[in-house]
Each structure stands twice: as C-alpha cells, then as structure tokens.
Amino acid sequence: YDSLDPELTLMALSTAIDECRSEWTPGFKAWILDLVNLSLRASVGMFNNTWYRQKRGVPTGGSLCVQIANIAVYYIMREQVYNDEKLMANIKSVKRYIDDGSGVFSGTKRQFSEFLTEVNQRISSHGLNIDEHTIEDPGLFVAFLDIQFCFNEDGCLMTDLYVKETDSRSYLYYGSSHPNHTFSSIVYSTSLRLRRIINDDTRLNERLEELKQCFISANYPQKMVNKITSKVSQLERRIRMHNDSNSSLLVPSSPDKSIRVISTFKGDRDMLEVVRDLEPTLSASRSLSISSSESSRSAGSSHPSNDLQRKSLFSYVNRTGASLRKKLVKVQKMAQGTQPQGTNPCNQPKCGTCKLIAEGPVYVINNINIKPATGDCRSYNIIYIFMCKFCNKNYVG
C-alpha cells in the first residue's frame, strides 16, 4: 500500500471505470473519482501533538484500500507485464489478489528466475517488487494465501491447508469466561474452513486430527471436539461457479438459497418495508438474479417461470433478541412448568450453601419487590444477593 502513487491509483481507477462501467455517466464517474481522491487525502495522523498528512501510498486499513490497491496493481501489471506476449510466453495461468499471486509456469526453474528478474525491473519504477517466491515441480505443493495446491500425476488439482511456521495455532482457552456456544462455534468454523479448502477426504481427516489436538491442548472437551469435527467431515463439498466471475466458491450444500432478513423485536419495520418494496428490482439485478435463478433450477421444477414468481429472494425471520433476563430467569421453561419456580436448596449431601438459601416467593429490597429466579446451589453464571441479618444491608454479586 505504501508504494502506490495516489495519482497512478486514480488513473488506474479511471481506466477501470471506462472499461468495466461504460454505462456510468461522465458526471457520476467524476464524482466517484473525487470521493476516492478525498479518501486518499484524508489520511492523517497525530504524533507529539502534531498532525501529519500521508504524502505517498494508499492508506492502510481504509474502507477502500483493498479495492483500490487491487485495481492499481492490476493496472501496473497489465501495462508492464501481461500485455507483453513474449514475456508471458511460458505463463500458462496466473491468478493474483493484491500482492499475492500464483500460477503455472512452463519451463525450468532458471527460466522462471530470469522471468522474475525481468518483471521486477519493469515494475520497480512504480515502487513494486516481488521479493518472495516459491516454485515447485509438478506433484509438489506450493502455497497461495492459506491454501497449498498442486497437480497430481493424472493432472487433477489437489488442495491442502497452508500453515505458516510462525502460526502457533492457539485458540481461545476453554476455561475463559465466554458462553458455551462461543467455543463450539470456534471448533465448527475452523473445521468447516478445512472442509472448504481440502478436496481430498483422506487428507481432510489428517488435518482434522491435527486440529483436534490443538483444541484439546486448549482444554476443549474431547467429546465436543469429536462430535463437531465428525459432523463437518460428513458435509458435502461442492463447487458453485459464478457466471459473472472466473472464481469459484467452496461451500457445503444448503437446501435454503434465500437471503435471510432477520428482524429483532420488530423494531426495524421501516427497513423490512424497504426490502420488500425493492425485492423485485434486486431480483433482476446482475449480482442477485443469478443466485435467484439457481435456486429455482435447484428445485427441479418443470415450470421455471412459475418458480421465479413463487420463490422469494429473501426469507424474513422475526426473532426476539437474547436478554440478560431470559438467560437468568429462563422464561419459557418457567411458563411450561418444567422447573420448580424460585430458588431452592440443592439438597445434596454435605452442601454448605443449602442452609443459606432463602426460599421466599418475594423480597422487598430498597422498596423494590425482588422475585428469586429459578435455580439452586449448583446454578452458575447468576446474579445473587446476600442479605445480612445483622445490619440489614444487601450485597449484589
């Protein structure tokens, strides 16, 4: 980011708009460029009570930095490298994301080194340089971002997880103060990441076993880890192609293709009305019409036009958000009568707390009626009140 010239970045963005968004009016294009220029010039910082403005480079961490840097680097690479057919003669395929790239080179390692030297000479004037690279023979894995890939003897693509040597693979300690679903979600999400990346079940099981040991080292219950990893290993892995992109998305299959619009406490009715009003327009848009048509085809109907009318792009969910009261009082269970109401002794042998439990239906503290929640001596994650019989003062903990 720091190596990119802001003027060159704006030139690259202008070229991208002309080539990819020809329907935009000149006024709208100028407005976009002015906003981006404002974003680049608004990068400031303070040191020793003095304000400084960034003179070169693209601001790191800004909301536009990733997209702008990606466009600028492609603009430079296309002008200096991609358009030279002689230089690209041995490049069979190349993919890039900002400053990370990967591809297939036909030739010797010496020829690749010479190719890389020529590329660096051409892009050095723009402040860019490829200082790290890896090249391997067919059948050996090379890394790209968090993925390792290679082609086997049959020419089939093989993928695996790439872990840096400095990655300690340390996860949230199970004994820390977090809700239980936080820990299970971490196990599930990290396991699902392996399922998406790795396309060989044998290799997937090996990586899941390694992941299990990482979680067990962090004091996670082995039963929980085994249950979640086993569930993930049985998920179907498939590739859904995007017709408007040369990329692919690795996702486990899901029967519901609609976009969920979740409303909490029904407090966002205005937003729901706007979404419902704009749904026909959004369904016909370039980015969402594909997913909508895919949902219709996946249903297997012989009348796709009727399916498109019947199948909604959005599914609306009204839910009540979690609250401290619900977590402590367990309203639903109390209403269903599955638990005794009020706080009661656990009646376990040798329990020193049972005799301290007050079993009254209601208590008046500071002229406020307090109803004890459902629970006993063994309850945890609770709010409690100690009432002193000598000074009549109360302690809440």
Side-chain angles (χ1 to χ4, degrees), residues 259-286:
I259 301 173
R260 294 181 181 177
V261 180
I262 301 177
S263 174
T264 302
F265 293 120
K266 297 183 179 180
D268 40 15
R269 295 178 180 177
D270 294 340
M271 183 270 291
L272 294 178
E273 292 179 359
V274 171
V275 172
R276 288 192 176 98
D277 292 341
L278 294 179
E279 183 171 350
T281 304
L282 294 174
S283 300
S285 65
R286 177 186 178 189

PDB file of all heavy atoms in Angstrom, residues 259-286:
ATOM      1  N   ILE A 259     -31.891 -15.281   0.951  1.00  0.00           N
ATOM      2  CA  ILE A 259     -31.132 -14.402   1.832  1.00  0.00           C
ATOM      3  C   ILE A 259     -32.017 -14.077   3.033  1.00  0.00           C
ATOM      4  O   ILE A 259     -33.118 -13.563   2.876  1.00  0.00           O
ATOM      5  CB  ILE A 259     -30.729 -13.109   1.099  1.00  0.00           C
ATOM      6  CG1 ILE A 259     -29.877 -13.455  -0.127  1.00  0.00           C
ATOM      7  CG2 ILE A 259     -29.970 -12.176   2.027  1.00  0.00           C
ATOM      8  CD1 ILE A 259     -29.575 -12.264  -0.997  1.00  0.00           C
ATOM      9  N   ARG A 260     -31.536 -14.378   4.215  1.00  0.00           N
ATOM     10  CA  ARG A 260     -32.352 -14.181   5.412  1.00  0.00           C
ATOM     11  C   ARG A 260     -32.267 -12.729   5.896  1.00  0.00           C
ATOM     12  O   ARG A 260     -31.187 -12.193   6.066  1.00  0.00           O
ATOM     13  CB  ARG A 260     -31.909 -15.130   6.519  1.00  0.00           C
ATOM     14  CG  ARG A 260     -32.176 -16.594   6.191  1.00  0.00           C
ATOM     15  CD  ARG A 260     -31.740 -17.496   7.313  1.00  0.00           C
ATOM     16  NE  ARG A 260     -31.973 -18.897   6.975  1.00  0.00           N
ATOM     17  CZ  ARG A 260     -31.637 -19.924   7.750  1.00  0.00           C
ATOM     18  NH1 ARG A 260     -31.045 -19.676   8.914  1.00  0.00           N
ATOM     19  NH2 ARG A 260     -31.881 -21.155   7.381  1.00  0.00           N
ATOM     20  N   VAL A 261     -33.432 -12.149   6.108  1.00  0.00           N
ATOM     21  CA  VAL A 261     -33.539 -10.809   6.684  1.00  0.00           C
ATOM     22  C   VAL A 261     -34.092 -10.985   8.095  1.00  0.00           C
ATOM     23  O   VAL A 261     -35.257 -11.339   8.273  1.00  0.00           O
ATOM     24  CB  VAL A 261     -34.445  -9.898   5.848  1.00  0.00           C
ATOM     25  CG1 VAL A 261     -34.531  -8.511   6.471  1.00  0.00           C
ATOM     26  CG2 VAL A 261     -33.935  -9.811   4.419  1.00  0.00           C
ATOM     27  N   ILE A 262     -33.244 -10.762   9.091  1.00  0.00           N
ATOM     28  CA  ILE A 262     -33.610 -11.042  10.481  1.00  0.00           C
ATOM     29  C   ILE A 262     -34.026  -9.744  11.165  1.00  0.00           C
ATOM     30  O   ILE A 262     -33.284  -8.762  11.160  1.00  0.00           O
ATOM     31  CB  ILE A 262     -32.442 -11.699  11.229  1.00  0.00           C
ATOM     32  CG1 ILE A 262     -32.039 -13.011  10.523  1.00  0.00           C
ATOM     33  CG2 ILE A 262     -32.801 -11.967  12.681  1.00  0.00           C
ATOM     34  CD1 ILE A 262     -30.850 -13.695  11.134  1.00  0.00           C
ATOM     35  N   SER A 263     -35.198  -9.764  11.739  1.00  0.00           N
ATOM     36  CA  SER A 263     -35.731  -8.608  12.453  1.00  0.00           C
ATOM     37  C   SER A 263     -35.803  -8.946  13.935  1.00  0.00           C
ATOM     38  O   SER A 263     -36.368  -9.961  14.328  1.00  0.00           O
ATOM     39  CB  SER A 263     -37.123  -8.244  11.930  1.00  0.00           C
ATOM     40  OG  SER A 263     -37.695  -7.216  12.703  1.00  0.00           O
ATOM     41  N   THR A 264     -35.222  -8.093  14.769  1.00  0.00           N
ATOM     42  CA  THR A 264     -35.210  -8.303  16.211  1.00  0.00           C
ATOM     43  C   THR A 264     -36.193  -7.354  16.877  1.00  0.00           C
ATOM     44  O   THR A 264     -36.138  -6.142  16.665  1.00  0.00           O
ATOM     45  CB  THR A 264     -33.797  -8.077  16.770  1.00  0.00           C
ATOM     46  OG1 THR A 264     -32.884  -8.966  16.107  1.00  0.00           O
ATOM     47  CG2 THR A 264     -33.751  -8.363  18.267  1.00  0.00           C
ATOM     48  N   PHE A 265     -37.100  -7.908  17.689  1.00  0.00           N
ATOM     49  CA  PHE A 265     -38.106  -7.130  18.411  1.00  0.00           C
ATOM     50  C   PHE A 265     -39.019  -6.346  17.475  1.00  0.00           C
ATOM     51  O   PHE A 265     -39.705  -5.423  17.917  1.00  0.00           O
ATOM     52  CB  PHE A 265     -37.453  -6.160  19.407  1.00  0.00           C
ATOM     53  CG  PHE A 265     -36.768  -6.849  20.551  1.00  0.00           C
ATOM     54  CD1 PHE A 265     -35.416  -6.676  20.760  1.00  0.00           C
ATOM     55  CD2 PHE A 265     -37.465  -7.668  21.405  1.00  0.00           C
ATOM     56  CE1 PHE A 265     -34.778  -7.308  21.814  1.00  0.00           C
ATOM     57  CE2 PHE A 265     -36.836  -8.302  22.454  1.00  0.00           C
ATOM     58  CZ  PHE A 265     -35.498  -8.122  22.670  1.00  0.00           C
ATOM     59  N   LYS A 266     -39.012  -6.675  16.195  1.00  0.00           N
ATOM     60  CA  LYS A 266     -39.852  -5.993  15.204  1.00  0.00           C
ATOM     61  C   LYS A 266     -39.651  -4.483  15.248  1.00  0.00           C
ATOM     62  O   LYS A 266     -40.572  -3.711  14.973  1.00  0.00           O
ATOM     63  CB  LYS A 266     -41.331  -6.328  15.423  1.00  0.00           C
ATOM     64  CG  LYS A 266     -41.648  -7.804  15.229  1.00  0.00           C
ATOM     65  CD  LYS A 266     -43.136  -8.075  15.373  1.00  0.00           C
ATOM     66  CE  LYS A 266     -43.451  -9.539  15.160  1.00  0.00           C
ATOM     67  NZ  LYS A 266     -44.893  -9.827  15.293  1.00  0.00           N
ATOM     68  N   GLY A 267     -38.435  -4.060  15.614  1.00  0.00           N
ATOM     69  CA  GLY A 267     -38.156  -2.639  15.737  1.00  0.00           C
ATOM     70  C   GLY A 267     -37.630  -2.015  14.464  1.00  0.00           C
ATOM     71  O   GLY A 267     -37.340  -0.827  14.441  1.00  0.00           O
ATOM     72  N   ASP A 268     -37.477  -2.813  13.401  1.00  0.00           N
ATOM     73  CA  ASP A 268     -36.953  -2.288  12.139  1.00  0.00           C
ATOM     74  C   ASP A 268     -37.963  -2.509  11.018  1.00  0.00           C
ATOM     75  O   ASP A 268     -37.633  -3.018   9.954  1.00  0.00           O
ATOM     76  CB  ASP A 268     -35.609  -2.928  11.798  1.00  0.00           C
ATOM     77  CG  ASP A 268     -35.585  -4.414  12.122  1.00  0.00           C
ATOM     78  OD1 ASP A 268     -36.677  -4.981  12.338  1.00  0.00           O
ATOM     79  OD2 ASP A 268     -34.491  -4.996  12.145  1.00  0.00           O
ATOM     80  N   ARG A 269     -39.204  -2.127  11.266  1.00  0.00           N
ATOM     81  CA  ARG A 269     -40.255  -2.325  10.268  1.00  0.00           C
ATOM     82  C   ARG A 269     -40.006  -1.499   9.014  1.00  0.00           C
ATOM     83  O   ARG A 269     -40.339  -1.927   7.904  1.00  0.00           O
ATOM     84  CB  ARG A 269     -41.610  -1.972  10.885  1.00  0.00           C
ATOM     85  CG  ARG A 269     -42.013  -2.902  12.025  1.00  0.00           C
ATOM     86  CD  ARG A 269     -43.348  -2.482  12.628  1.00  0.00           C
ATOM     87  NE  ARG A 269     -43.744  -3.376  13.715  1.00  0.00           N
ATOM     88  CZ  ARG A 269     -44.833  -3.208  14.462  1.00  0.00           C
ATOM     89  NH1 ARG A 269     -45.640  -2.173  14.220  1.00  0.00           N
ATOM     90  NH2 ARG A 269     -45.117  -4.053  15.435  1.00  0.00           N
ATOM     91  N   ASP A 270     -39.454  -0.282   9.203  1.00  0.00           N
ATOM     92  CA  ASP A 270     -39.171   0.559   8.038  1.00  0.00           C
ATOM     93  C   ASP A 270     -38.185  -0.125   7.107  1.00  0.00           C
ATOM     94  O   ASP A 270     -38.334  -0.090   5.873  1.00  0.00           O
ATOM     95  CB  ASP A 270     -38.619   1.911   8.497  1.00  0.00           C
ATOM     96  CG  ASP A 270     -39.642   2.724   9.268  1.00  0.00           C
ATOM     97  OD1 ASP A 270     -40.848   2.426   9.121  1.00  0.00           O
ATOM     98  OD2 ASP A 270     -39.243   3.645   9.999  1.00  0.00           O
ATOM     99  N   MET A 271     -37.163  -0.756   7.686  1.00  0.00           N
ATOM    100  CA  MET A 271     -36.174  -1.459   6.870  1.00  0.00           C
ATOM    101  C   MET A 271     -36.817  -2.635   6.133  1.00  0.00           C
ATOM    102  O   MET A 271     -36.538  -2.874   4.950  1.00  0.00           O
ATOM    103  CB  MET A 271     -35.029  -1.954   7.762  1.00  0.00           C
ATOM    104  CG  MET A 271     -33.887  -2.646   7.006  1.00  0.00           C
ATOM    105  SD  MET A 271     -34.124  -4.431   6.839  1.00  0.00           S
ATOM    106  CE  MET A 271     -33.924  -4.944   8.552  1.00  0.00           C
ATOM    107  N   LEU A 272     -37.693  -3.376   6.814  1.00  0.00           N
ATOM    108  CA  LEU A 272     -38.357  -4.514   6.181  1.00  0.00           C
ATOM    109  C   LEU A 272     -39.242  -4.059   5.023  1.00  0.00           C
ATOM    110  O   LEU A 272     -39.287  -4.719   3.977  1.00  0.00           O
ATOM    111  CB  LEU A 272     -39.191  -5.268   7.217  1.00  0.00           C
ATOM    112  CG  LEU A 272     -38.414  -5.958   8.341  1.00  0.00           C
ATOM    113  CD1 LEU A 272     -39.378  -6.622   9.315  1.00  0.00           C
ATOM    114  CD2 LEU A 272     -37.442  -6.984   7.787  1.00  0.00           C
ATOM    115  N   GLU A 273     -39.926  -2.945   5.188  1.00  0.00           N
ATOM    116  CA  GLU A 273     -40.781  -2.440   4.109  1.00  0.00           C
ATOM    117  C   GLU A 273     -39.950  -2.040   2.898  1.00  0.00           C
ATOM    118  O   GLU A 273     -40.340  -2.289   1.746  1.00  0.00           O
ATOM    119  CB  GLU A 273     -41.601  -1.257   4.617  1.00  0.00           C
ATOM    120  CG  GLU A 273     -42.638  -1.634   5.664  1.00  0.00           C
ATOM    121  CD  GLU A 273     -43.414  -0.429   6.167  1.00  0.00           C
ATOM    122  OE1 GLU A 273     -43.115   0.694   5.689  1.00  0.00           O
ATOM    123  OE2 GLU A 273     -44.314  -0.603   7.016  1.00  0.00           O
ATOM    124  N   VAL A 274     -38.796  -1.422   3.151  1.00  0.00           N
ATOM    125  CA  VAL A 274     -37.918  -1.028   2.043  1.00  0.00           C
ATOM    126  C   VAL A 274     -37.417  -2.261   1.293  1.00  0.00           C
ATOM    127  O   VAL A 274     -37.394  -2.293   0.059  1.00  0.00           O
ATOM    128  CB  VAL A 274     -36.741  -0.182   2.567  1.00  0.00           C
ATOM    129  CG1 VAL A 274     -35.717   0.052   1.465  1.00  0.00           C
ATOM    130  CG2 VAL A 274     -37.238   1.156   3.109  1.00  0.00           C
ATOM    131  N   VAL A 275     -37.024  -3.292   2.031  1.00  0.00           N
ATOM    132  CA  VAL A 275     -36.517  -4.511   1.401  1.00  0.00           C
ATOM    133  C   VAL A 275     -37.607  -5.171   0.569  1.00  0.00           C
ATOM    134  O   VAL A 275     -37.375  -5.619  -0.561  1.00  0.00           O
ATOM    135  CB  VAL A 275     -35.976  -5.481   2.470  1.00  0.00           C
ATOM    136  CG1 VAL A 275     -35.622  -6.819   1.831  1.00  0.00           C
ATOM    137  CG2 VAL A 275     -34.756  -4.886   3.161  1.00  0.00           C
ATOM    138  N   ARG A 276     -38.808  -5.238   1.116  1.00  0.00           N
ATOM    139  CA  ARG A 276     -39.920  -5.856   0.370  1.00  0.00           C
ATOM    140  C   ARG A 276     -40.244  -5.062  -0.894  1.00  0.00           C
ATOM    141  O   ARG A 276     -40.530  -5.639  -1.947  1.00  0.00           O
ATOM    142  CB  ARG A 276     -41.153  -5.958   1.270  1.00  0.00           C
ATOM    143  CG  ARG A 276     -41.032  -7.022   2.358  1.00  0.00           C
ATOM    144  CD  ARG A 276     -42.393  -7.266   3.021  1.00  0.00           C
ATOM    145  NE  ARG A 276     -42.316  -8.333   3.996  1.00  0.00           N
ATOM    146  CZ  ARG A 276     -42.174  -8.145   5.305  1.00  0.00           C
ATOM    147  NH1 ARG A 276     -42.081  -6.894   5.781  1.00  0.00           N
ATOM    148  NH2 ARG A 276     -42.132  -9.165   6.135  1.00  0.00           N
ATOM    149  N   ASP A 277     -40.212  -3.735  -0.796  1.00  0.00           N
ATOM    150  CA  ASP A 277     -40.522  -2.906  -1.966  1.00  0.00           C
ATOM    151  C   ASP A 277     -39.462  -3.053  -3.055  1.00  0.00           C
ATOM    152  O   ASP A 277     -39.775  -3.020  -4.253  1.00  0.00           O
ATOM    153  CB  ASP A 277     -40.641  -1.437  -1.548  1.00  0.00           C
ATOM    154  CG  ASP A 277     -41.863  -1.194  -0.661  1.00  0.00           C
ATOM    155  OD1 ASP A 277     -42.777  -2.044  -0.684  1.00  0.00           O
ATOM    156  OD2 ASP A 277     -41.880  -0.173   0.057  1.00  0.00           O
ATOM    157  N   LEU A 278     -38.194  -3.213  -2.640  1.00  0.00           N
ATOM    158  CA  LEU A 278     -37.101  -3.267  -3.609  1.00  0.00           C
ATOM    159  C   LEU A 278     -36.773  -4.684  -4.061  1.00  0.00           C
ATOM    160  O   LEU A 278     -35.906  -4.874  -4.911  1.00  0.00           O
ATOM    161  CB  LEU A 278     -35.838  -2.637  -3.009  1.00  0.00           C
ATOM    162  CG  LEU A 278     -35.897  -1.132  -2.732  1.00  0.00           C
ATOM    163  CD1 LEU A 278     -34.595  -0.658  -2.113  1.00  0.00           C
ATOM    164  CD2 LEU A 278     -36.181  -0.352  -4.012  1.00  0.00           C
ATOM    165  N   GLU A 279     -37.446  -5.681  -3.491  1.00  0.00           N
ATOM    166  CA  GLU A 279     -37.108  -7.069  -3.835  1.00  0.00           C
ATOM    167  C   GLU A 279     -37.242  -7.378  -5.323  1.00  0.00           C
ATOM    168  O   GLU A 279     -36.360  -8.020  -5.906  1.00  0.00           O
ATOM    169  CB  GLU A 279     -37.964  -8.030  -3.008  1.00  0.00           C
ATOM    170  CG  GLU A 279     -37.611  -9.495  -3.259  1.00  0.00           C
ATOM    171  CD  GLU A 279     -38.311 -10.433  -2.278  1.00  0.00           C
ATOM    172  OE1 GLU A 279     -38.906  -9.930  -1.302  1.00  0.00           O
ATOM    173  OE2 GLU A 279     -38.255 -11.640  -2.494  1.00  0.00           O
ATOM    174  N   PRO A 280     -38.307  -6.936  -6.005  1.00  0.00           N
ATOM    175  CA  PRO A 280     -38.371  -7.208  -7.458  1.00  0.00           C
ATOM    176  C   PRO A 280     -37.197  -6.601  -8.224  1.00  0.00           C
ATOM    177  O   PRO A 280     -36.656  -7.218  -9.139  1.00  0.00           O
ATOM    178  CB  PRO A 280     -39.709  -6.577  -7.865  1.00  0.00           C
ATOM    179  CG  PRO A 280     -40.522  -6.550  -6.609  1.00  0.00           C
ATOM    180  CD  PRO A 280     -39.540  -6.275  -5.513  1.00  0.00           C
ATOM    181  N   THR A 281     -36.802  -5.368  -7.837  1.00  0.00           N
ATOM    182  CA  THR A 281     -35.675  -4.725  -8.513  1.00  0.00           C
ATOM    183  C   THR A 281     -34.372  -5.443  -8.224  1.00  0.00           C
ATOM    184  O   THR A 281     -33.547  -5.668  -9.118  1.00  0.00           O
ATOM    185  CB  THR A 281     -35.568  -3.253  -8.070  1.00  0.00           C
ATOM    186  OG1 THR A 281     -36.810  -2.591  -8.327  1.00  0.00           O
ATOM    187  CG2 THR A 281     -34.445  -2.550  -8.815  1.00  0.00           C
ATOM    188  N   LEU A 282     -34.175  -5.829  -6.959  1.00  0.00           N
ATOM    189  CA  LEU A 282     -32.948  -6.537  -6.587  1.00  0.00           C
ATOM    190  C   LEU A 282     -32.879  -7.903  -7.253  1.00  0.00           C
ATOM    191  O   LEU A 282     -31.801  -8.357  -7.644  1.00  0.00           O
ATOM    192  CB  LEU A 282     -32.878  -6.692  -5.065  1.00  0.00           C
ATOM    193  CG  LEU A 282     -32.726  -5.402  -4.259  1.00  0.00           C
ATOM    194  CD1 LEU A 282     -32.828  -5.682  -2.767  1.00  0.00           C
ATOM    195  CD2 LEU A 282     -31.389  -4.742  -4.561  1.00  0.00           C
ATOM    196  N   SER A 283     -34.015  -8.574  -7.385  1.00  0.00           N
ATOM    197  CA  SER A 283     -34.029  -9.900  -8.016  1.00  0.00           C
ATOM    198  C   SER A 283     -33.606  -9.835  -9.478  1.00  0.00           C
ATOM    199  O   SER A 283     -33.073 -10.803 -10.017  1.00  0.00           O
ATOM    200  CB  SER A 283     -35.425 -10.518  -7.903  1.00  0.00           C
ATOM    201  OG  SER A 283     -35.801 -10.672  -6.560  1.00  0.00           O
ATOM    202  N   ALA A 284     -33.854  -8.687 -10.114  1.00  0.00           N
ATOM    203  CA  ALA A 284     -33.493  -8.531 -11.529  1.00  0.00           C
ATOM    204  C   ALA A 284     -32.103  -7.961 -11.723  1.00  0.00           C
ATOM    205  O   ALA A 284     -31.629  -7.842 -12.846  1.00  0.00           O
ATOM    206  CB  ALA A 284     -34.515  -7.624 -12.231  1.00  0.00           C
ATOM    207  N   SER A 285     -31.406  -7.633 -10.621  1.00  0.00           N
ATOM    208  CA  SER A 285     -30.075  -7.051 -10.743  1.00  0.00           C
ATOM    209  C   SER A 285     -29.063  -8.097 -11.179  1.00  0.00           C
ATOM    210  O   SER A 285     -29.292  -9.306 -11.076  1.00  0.00           O
ATOM    211  CB  SER A 285     -29.638  -6.433  -9.409  1.00  0.00           C
ATOM    212  OG  SER A 285     -29.495  -7.433  -8.423  1.00  0.00           O
ATOM    213  N   ARG A 286     -27.907  -7.623 -11.625  1.00  0.00           N
ATOM    214  CA  ARG A 286     -26.891  -8.515 -12.183  1.00  0.00           C
ATOM    215  C   ARG A 286     -26.351  -9.485 -11.144  1.00  0.00           C
ATOM    216  O   ARG A 286     -26.164 -10.660 -11.406  1.00  0.00           O
ATOM    217  CB  ARG A 286     -25.754  -7.670 -12.763  1.00  0.00           C
ATOM    218  CG  ARG A 286     -24.588  -8.491 -13.304  1.00  0.00           C
ATOM    219  CD  ARG A 286     -23.459  -7.575 -13.727  1.00  0.00           C
ATOM    220  NE  ARG A 286     -22.317  -8.325 -14.213  1.00  0.00           N
ATOM    221  CZ  ARG A 286     -21.141  -7.790 -14.479  1.00  0.00           C
ATOM    222  NH1 ARG A 286     -20.970  -6.499 -14.308  1.00  0.00           N
ATOM    223  NH2 ARG A 286     -20.155  -8.538 -14.912  1.00  0.00           N
TER     224      ARG A 286
END
